[in-house]
Amino acid sequence: MTDLLDLPWTEGRADVSPREYVDACLRAIEARDEKVHAFLHVNADADAAALPIAIKDNIVARNMPTTCGSQILRDFVSPFDATVVERLRASGASIVGKTNLDEFAMGSSTEHSAFGPARNPWDLSRVAGGSSGGSAAAVAARMVPAALGSETGGSVRQPAALCGVVGFKPTYGRVSRWGLVAFASGLDQIGVVTKTVRDCAEVFGIIAGHDPRDSTSSTHDVDDYAADVSAGVKGLRFGIVREAVEQLGGEVRANFDAAVDVLRRGGAIIEEASVPSIGYAIAIYYIVANAEASANLSRFDGVRYGHRSERARTLDEVYFDSRGEGFGAEVKRRIMLGTFALSSGYYDAYYGRAQRVRAKLRHEFEEAFRSFDYLVTPTSPEAAFPIGAKTEDPLAMYLNDVFTAPANLVGTPAIAVPSGFNAEGLPLSLQIMGPHFGERALFRAAGFFENETGYWKKAPLST
Amino acid sequence: MKIDRAEARRIADLAHLEFDDAGLDRMAAEMTKILTYIDQLREVDVEGFEERERHVTPMREDEPRPSVDREVALNAREQVARNAPAWRDGFFVVPKVIGGD
C-alpha cells in the first residue's frame, strides 16, 4: 500500500481531505522524528490545509518559536509572519513545524545545531547535510510533502542531495527575505525542498514575487514555473563545468557521467563549459559571507531579545558574556573571520579582493550562459558522511559546498535533483544551474531528468 | 596569514565576544588555517573587476509606512516584552552606563 506521504504533493492532495493530510504529517513526525530529529518545534495544533509544510527554524512564523538552532534565541517567539509564511497561509498552507538547522544556518551538516544534529534518513549514523538538514530530512523521511530552507552557500541543495530529495535555490531577489533571520544579506535566499520537481515548482510559485519589505526583492514577473516540466530537453544546451569536475573521480564522477548520459539520450546537446575561477568560490564565500554575518549578528547583544548572561554586571559584560555564552563555536569562528576581513588594515586585502574575484566569477558565468542554457555539476563532492567526521576540521566541512556556493555568489538559480545511489545505498545528486530568472527552464530540465530516472520513488529504509 | 593570540584578542574585542586564553589560542590556530586557504585569492588577476560592481542594494523612497499589519502591531508590544531579557514599564532594562563607580 502506498502511503499518502510517499506520493508527490501535487498527486496526493487530490485524494485526501486537508484535515487528513495534516494529521498524516503529524503522525509521521510522531513516529519517525525521534530518530531523525528533523524538527525543533512541531505545531500539534496545525490547521487543516491542502499543503502541510515545514519551515526552517530561521524563518519566523507568528506565535511560534524561532531559535535559529542557537542557544542565544532558544526562548524567542516571533510576533509576526515572514512574507513567505504569509504567502503560504494565503494559498491554504499550514505550518506543521520548524526544522533543525546549523546554528544561524552556518554549516553543511546540521551538526552545528545547538539542539543536536538532524540525522540522515538513509543512514541514521550519517549527517543530513546542512544547513537546512532538518528540512531535507523531513521531506526525505516522508514526514511532510514540502519544506522551506534557506541558502547562503548551498544550504538547501547540499542537504537535499545528501537526503535524496529535490532542493532548489531561486535567483537572488526572487523570494522575499522579510522574516528570514539574516546571515549574509548579499547572498541569502529562501529555497524549497520537495520529493519531486513539479512539487518544487508549484511551491516556489506560491512564495515567489516582489515584496516592498525586502528592498532586494525583484519586480520581475512571476512565471508559471511548472509549465514545462514535461517538455523534455531536446536541443537544449548543457555545459559541463570543466574546472569543477576535472579532478573528480570515483562514485560521484561515475554517477555524474551517467546523469549526463540521461540528458544526452533525451536529445540535449552536451559540451564542455569553462568557468576558470569557480575553484575560488569557497575562498570568496568565507570572506564575503562571514563579513556580512559579523555585521548581521551584531544585533544579538543580550539587550532586546535572546540570551542575557546572568553574570553580566556592566553593559559591556552584557554584550561580551551574552554572546560568548549564547553563540556556538562555528558561529564565533565566522564572526571572528568576518570581523577580521572588515577590520582596518585588512579590508582591501580580504573583503575588497574577495568581492573583486566574485565580480570576475560572475562575469565568467555570464559568458558561459551565452553559449549554454544550463551548466551542470554534481551537487556535492561526496555522499552523506558520518556524523562527527568533519566537526574538528572546519575547512574540510566548508569544501563540501564547493559546487553549490558559486550560484550564491553570482545570484543565479540552481536545482539539485536525485541522480541515484552509491554502493552503500546513499543518495547522489545532479546540480543544474541556469541564468538569472531562468527558473522555469530549470524545472524543465530537472523534470525531464526526474521523469527518466524516477529516483524519488525510493524511500529511505529507515522510515 | 598568521593570526596570533594578540591579534585574535583585538578581533574578539571588536566582535564583542568573550574567550578564555585557551579558547582564543584555538580560535587563532583555526583562523590561521582558514585564512591560509583564503590567501589563494591573492593569485587571481582581478584587473578590470571592481569591488562594488553591481552589488548595490536598492533603497526604497524614504516614506514612513507600517511594516506589519495593524493587528500584529497592536499585539507586538506584549510579545516584545516577553522576548526581552529585562523589561520594565515599557523599556528594556540594562545595567547602568553612566556615573556609579
Side-chain angles (χ1 to χ4, degrees), chain A residues 63 77 280 308 347 350 356, chain B residues 39 43 49 51 79 83:
Chain A
N63 298 331
V77 175
Y280 296 113
R308 178 183 291 186
Y347 179 97
Y350 284 91
R356 292 178 75 186
Chain B
D39 280 339
E43 72 193 38
F49 296 99
E51 180 193 329
Q79 286 181 297
N83 282 324

Side-chain angles (χ1 to χ4, degrees), chain A residues 250-260 419-422 428-430 455:
Chain A
E251 62 188 26
V252 173
R253 180 60 193 253
N255 179 271
F256 176 70
D257 290 343
V260 170
S419 62
F421 301 88
N422 71 3
L428 297 169
S429 174
L430 172 68
Y455 294 118

Side-chain angles (χ1 to χ4, degrees), chain A residues 58-355:
Chain A
N58 61 349
I59 299 171
V60 303
R62 198 174 171 196
N63 298 331
M64 284 190 206
T66 299
T67 68
C68 293
S70 181
Q71 287 293 347
I72 213 163
L73 282 177
R74 68 180 177 273
D75 299 319
F76 183 80
V77 175
S78 174
F80 70 101
D81 277 340
T83 297
V84 290
V85 172
E86 270 181 6
R87 286 178 184 241
L88 284 166
R89 292 198 208 274
S91 73
S94 178
I95 313 299
V96 297
K98 308 286 302 284
T99 57
N100 203 353
L101 70 161
D102 286 294
E103 184 175 1
F104 287 103
M106 296 176 179
S108 307
S109 69
T110 316
E111 292 169 287
H112 297 309
S113 168
F115 308 109
R119 293 171 178 273
N120 193 305
W122 296 90
D123 177 346
L124 295 170
S125 73
R126 292 176 185 267
V127 301
S131 64
S132 311
S135 292
V139 173
R142 280 33 178 176
M143 294 192 266
V144 281
L148 297 188
S150 68
E151 277 233 6
T152 308
S155 275
V156 169
R157 287 166 286 153
Q158 186 262 11
L162 270 47
C163 290
V165 290
V166 174
F168 167 65
K169 181 198 89 79
T171 303
Y172 180 75
R174 180 68 295 183
V175 176
S176 168
R177 292 95 48 88
W178 171 260
L180 169 70
V181 178
F183 164 8
S185 307
L187 301 167
D188 294 342
Q189 184 62 194
I190 290 171
V192 181
V193 181
T194 53
K195 287 190 291 295
T196 69
V197 172
R198 181 179 293 275
D199 284 359
C200 191
E202 297 276 359
V203 174
F204 172 56
I206 295 169
I207 63 170
H210 178 66
D211 175 12
R213 293 173 298 192
D214 176 356
S215 67
T216 64
S217 97
S218 172
T219 53
H220 207 276
D221 283 342
V222 173
D223 210 338
D224 179 0
Y225 295 110
D228 298 333
V229 293
S230 304
V233 293
K234 196 167 167 40
L236 298 176
R237 299 163 302 169
F238 290 75
I240 298 171
V241 184
R242 182 175 64 222
E243 295 84 357
V245 300
E246 62 190 355
Q247 291 182 22
L248 202 62
E251 62 188 26
V252 173
R253 180 60 193 253
N255 179 271
F256 176 70
D257 290 343
V260 170
D261 277 340
V262 170
L263 298 169
R264 194 180 280 119
R265 284 199 301 274
I269 300 158
I270 313 283
E271 285 170 24
E272 210 170 66
S274 180
V275 183
S277 301
I278 201 165
Y280 296 113
I282 295 298
I284 303 167
Y285 176 81
Y286 279 94
I287 292 296
V288 174
N290 292 345
E292 296 186 12
S294 71
N296 273 324
L297 270 61
S298 67
R299 74 192 63 185
F300 300 101
D301 56 6
V303 172
R304 293 155 300 154
Y305 44 77
H307 173 74
R308 178 183 291 186
S309 173
E310 287 182 1
R311 63 182 178 179
R313 294 289 171 265
T314 67
L315 189 59
D316 262 353
E317 286 172 6
V318 169
Y319 298 149
F320 280 80
D321 293 341
S322 301
R323 290 162 64 81
E325 293 167 7
F327 288 139
E330 178 64 20
V331 172
K332 288 179 190 168
R333 196 150 44 227
R334 296 204 190 195
I335 291 173
M336 290 285 286
L337 282 163
T339 304
F340 167 79
L342 292 177
S343 70
S344 172
Y346 297 105
Y347 179 97
D348 288 337
Y350 284 91
Y351 186 75
R353 173 154 283 263
Q355 287 287 33

Side-chain angles (χ1 to χ4, degrees), chain B residues 9-49:
Chain B
R9 173 65 69 195
R10 181 186 77 95
I11 300 162
D13 285 346
L14 286 171
H16 286 181
L17 288 172
E18 180 62 33
F19 290 98
D20 58 25
D21 283 348
L24 209 56
D25 286 345
R26 195 163 53 242
M27 182 62 68
E30 287 166 352
M31 290 177 72
T32 297
K33 188 176 173 194
I34 295 164
L35 288 170
T36 300
Y37 175 81
I38 286 168
D39 280 339
Q40 64 177 294
L41 294 179
R42 291 181 187 174
E43 72 193 38
V44 184
D45 177 8
V46 290
E47 190 62 38
F49 296 99

